[in-house]
Amino acid sequence: MLALLFKNFIRSKGTKIGLVFLLVICFISLLIGQQFQQKQQNNIKEAALYQKEHIARNAAFHKDEMGLLLYYIKFSLVNATLPVNSLAIGQRDVNPSIQSVTIRGLEGQKYDSELNNPNNLLSGNIDFSFVLIYLFPLLIVAFSYNLVSEEKESGTWKIVATQSQNTFLYILKLFYIRILSLIALLTIVLFIAILFLKIPLNQSLFTFYGLGILYILFWFAISFFIVSLQKNSNFNAVILLTIWLFLIIILPAVINTYIVNKFPIPEALELTVKQRNAYHEKWDMDKKITMDKFYNHYPQFKTYPLPDKEFRWLWYYAMQQAGDDDSAKQSQELEHKLQQRNKASQFIAQFIPTLHTQLQLNEIAQSDLGNQLLFLKETKQFHEKMRLYFYPKIFDNADVSKENWSKFQVETFHDPSEISFAKAFLPLLFFNLLLIGFGWRNFNRRVI
């Protein structure tokens, strides 16, 4: 009987159109993921080549003063991009994956990013996570909203009831066929992604796949519950589409508005202006004030006194450091507020399966806000490391030609965050069991 039900399902013209349409959209999303992946790889290669040529050119041109040379030279840090990131681009299309900084003031450089077309940012990327979260549920609704009601409305349900020993089992078989078809589609697309995007078979991919299956089951569980109410087809369709609209569009927008207003953050531009003003005002201040602040920050450099001359690189870089120190409070406030936003989003998302899935897919792909905050923190440490290495050379006016500039390669940051299966799977599993339990109770209470 199961084979017959499957043949009847797959023969439907609407079924074929729906599956083919979704498959085509999935292929398009993989192409978009490939373009993003290639762009990231090209940017990293270009950054490595640029840094090598940039350092060599400036070292040859500014060979007399180490301080002047370090004014221009930039050093790059790359936020490693996982192959699975092609399936869930997340915030990687907005936040830079490469930070190129000089050893001058950091706050004025930290939020520099690549220029993007605002229209493209507004529409976003149709990556695979978008297709999974937004479009898979629509096909599930189309496949399951009238499973029982259509046959009741056409008058064939009595025949089914008399020919089937267990009508509830018959309904489960109808859902099983549709679930199997969508999971098969998900599996095919991810298998193609493995070959096409060269995604390794690792924990990230398996977690992504498991989360995708649970998300598909969640929407089937919703449909199962609505069908269990045994209303007419129009009612089921309207309710399911309303639920889709509420969970996918309205509720995330409301939560985003709440979080933005609950945790207002200072603009990165405001922080940059604060740092630059703090630096520029030092030109008109007593140099001793600037140097005292610098020595308090770096006691190890007290052995370098300020000579009695109009300009000295020691004083100049002390001014740069003072700009960062004076804007440190605003910087910490911005970081703290972003951390609060991230934690609040993750907490609230546990109770909203659609939002939870989206955030978890981004977290698995390391394209979430948490990853960006870790990258900014690593950028600060990277900048500090370069400062502490070059400060003594600048203050001693070391010979530029004696420095091995070829050793300064582009460095890579690898996010150490580990995947939590409980965090990823339990919220969806809970809602699935809850909806199935209510649906099963409704079927048992009513005569089918």
Side-chain angles (χ1 to χ4, degrees):
M1 184 177 181
L2 194 62
L4 179 62
L5 291 174
F6 178 75
K7 287 180 181 179
N8 291 336
F9 169 69
I10 208 68
R11 281 176 182 172
S12 170
K13 186 178 291 186
T15 298
K16 292 176 181 177
I17 292 174
L19 290 174
V20 170
F21 173 77
L22 192 58
L23 191 60
V24 170
I25 296 297
C26 287
F27 285 151
I28 293 173
S29 72
L30 295 185
L31 288 173
I32 292 173
Q34 185 197 38
Q35 291 174 355
F36 171 79
Q37 189 180 75
Q38 289 177 345
K39 180 182 177 183
Q40 294 290 88
Q41 292 172 352
N42 291 337
N43 287 345
I44 293 172
K45 290 179 182 178
E46 289 174 3
L49 181 62
Y50 172 78
Q51 177 168 310
K52 181 180 178 181
E53 295 177 348
H54 167 73
I55 292 177
R57 184 171 59 252
N58 278 279
F61 190 75
H62 304 289
K63 54 187 177 182
D64 296 327
E65 287 187 89
M66 182 69 77
L68 180 60
L69 173 62
L70 269 300
Y71 176 90
Y72 293 104
I73 288 183
K74 287 188 174 183
F75 305 93
S76 295
L77 177 69
V78 172
N79 189 2
T81 303
L82 300 180
V84 75
N85 191 196
S86 304
L87 301 177
I89 295 174
Q91 296 190 21
R92 285 295 187 102
D93 59 343
V94 179
N95 296 319
S97 295
I98 302 175
Q99 288 278 15
S100 297
V101 295
T102 67
I103 66 167
R104 288 178 279 142
L106 176 63
E107 297 301 337
Q109 307 176 74
K110 205 160 51 170
Y111 300 99
D112 288 344
S113 62
E114 181 181 349
L115 293 177
N116 290 281
N117 187 328
N119 290 326
N120 294 337
L121 294 179
L122 182 63
S123 59
N125 287 300
I126 306 179
D127 58 1
F128 181 69
S129 67
F130 173 88
V131 177
L132 176 63
I133 291 169
Y134 285 80
L135 302 186
F136 267 73
L138 289 176
L139 197 61
I140 293 170
V141 169
F143 282 172
S144 56
Y145 79 96
N146 61 348
L147 279 186
V148 176
S149 57
E150 184 181 36
E151 297 198 41
K152 283 187 175 183
E153 290 160 4
S154 62
T156 59
W157 180 251
K158 290 183 180 180
I159 300 174
V160 173
T162 55
Q163 291 181 347
S164 178
Q165 296 179 349
N166 189 330
T167 53
F168 180 67
L169 184 61
Y170 173 80
I171 293 171
L172 291 181
K173 288 179 179 178
L174 292 176
F175 272 99
Y176 172 74
I177 290 167
R178 286 153 178 80
I179 291 171
L180 201 61
S181 66
L182 267 296
I183 291 179
L185 179 61
L186 174 67
T187 305
I188 290 170
V189 172
L190 288 183
F191 179 75
I192 294 171
I194 291 170
L195 301 177
F196 185 57
L197 301 175
K198 297 180 175 58
I199 300 175
L201 295 171
N202 55 19
Q203 188 182 52
S204 297
L205 180 64
F206 291 133
T207 309
F208 193 102
Y209 180 58
L211 201 60
I213 290 176
L214 283 175
Y215 184 71
I216 289 172
L217 292 177
F218 166 72
W219 280 99
F220 273 112
I222 290 178
S223 298
F224 178 75
F225 172 73
I226 297 301
V227 169
S228 73
L229 300 177
Q230 299 184 47
K231 304 292 184 178
N232 60 61
S233 299
N234 290 337
F235 175 86
N236 291 349
V238 170
I239 291 298
L240 285 171
L241 288 176
T242 302
I243 292 173
W244 178 87
L245 187 65
F246 181 73
L247 290 179
I248 296 287
I249 307 294
I250 298 175
L251 196 55
V254 171
I255 291 170
N256 181 65
T257 302
Y258 164 75
I259 291 175
V260 167
N261 287 283
K262 177 71 174 177
F263 306 107
I265 61 174
E267 295 287 345
L269 176 61
E270 177 187 338
L271 180 58
T272 302
V273 170
K274 172 69 176 176
Q275 186 270 340
R276 290 183 179 176
N277 285 340
Y279 150 68
H280 285 296
E281 69 182 10
K282 301 298 185 293
W283 289 93
D284 301 319
M285 292 175 59
D286 186 351
K287 293 180 180 179
K288 187 178 184 302
I289 298 175
T290 302
M291 295 311 302
D292 286 343
K293 288 184 177 181
F294 182 74
Y295 293 142
N296 286 335
H297 190 106
Y298 295 113
Q300 66 269 38
F301 296 133
K302 286 184 178 180
T303 55
Y304 294 96
L306 186 66
D308 295 330
K309 56 192 301 187
E310 189 65 27
F311 181 82
R312 184 78 163 104
W313 287 112
L314 171 62
W315 169 65
Y316 178 81
Y317 284 101
M319 285 198 302
Q320 292 285 342
Q321 180 63 55
D324 280 349
D325 289 343
D326 289 353
S327 58
K329 181 179 179 182
Q330 287 80 4
S331 179
Q332 291 171 2
E333 181 184 354
L334 175 60
E335 182 181 348
H336 179 63
K337 289 294 180 66
L338 288 174
Q339 290 282 8
Q340 286 181 312
R341 283 189 177 187
N342 190 44
K343 289 179 181 179
S345 299
Q346 291 183 338
F347 175 77
I348 296 173
Q350 294 180 93
F351 308 99
I352 306 168
T354 51
L355 190 57
H356 169 78
T357 304
Q358 187 170 27
L359 292 180
Q360 285 301 305
L361 291 178
N362 290 342
E363 189 171 324
I364 292 167
Q366 294 184 356
S367 58
D368 59 326
L369 178 58
N371 171 265
Q372 180 62 19
L373 291 174
L374 288 175
F375 181 50
L376 289 175
K377 184 177 180 180
E378 183 68 18
T379 300
K380 185 176 181 179
Q381 294 175 357
F382 171 75
H383 183 262
E384 183 71 2
K385 181 183 73 173
M386 302 309 294
R387 266 182 169 173
L388 292 177
Y389 177 81
F390 281 113
Y391 272 171
K393 296 179 181 293
I394 294 172
F395 303 157
D396 288 328
N397 197 23
D399 190 342
V400 172
S401 61
K402 291 183 179 180
E403 183 67 40
N404 181 16
W405 296 105
S406 61
K407 72 179 181 181
F408 297 103
Q409 305 292 326
V410 171
E411 297 188 20
T412 303
F413 164 67
H414 295 277
D415 191 336
S417 304
E418 295 183 356
I419 295 173
S420 171
F421 293 109
K423 180 182 176 183
F425 295 151
L426 284 182
L428 280 174
L429 190 60
F430 170 77
F431 281 102
N432 288 350
L433 294 175
L434 186 68
L435 289 166
I436 291 171
F438 279 123
W440 176 79
R441 187 190 64 175
N442 289 340
F443 277 123
N444 284 337
R445 281 184 173 181
R446 294 175 172 85
V447 179
I448 303 176

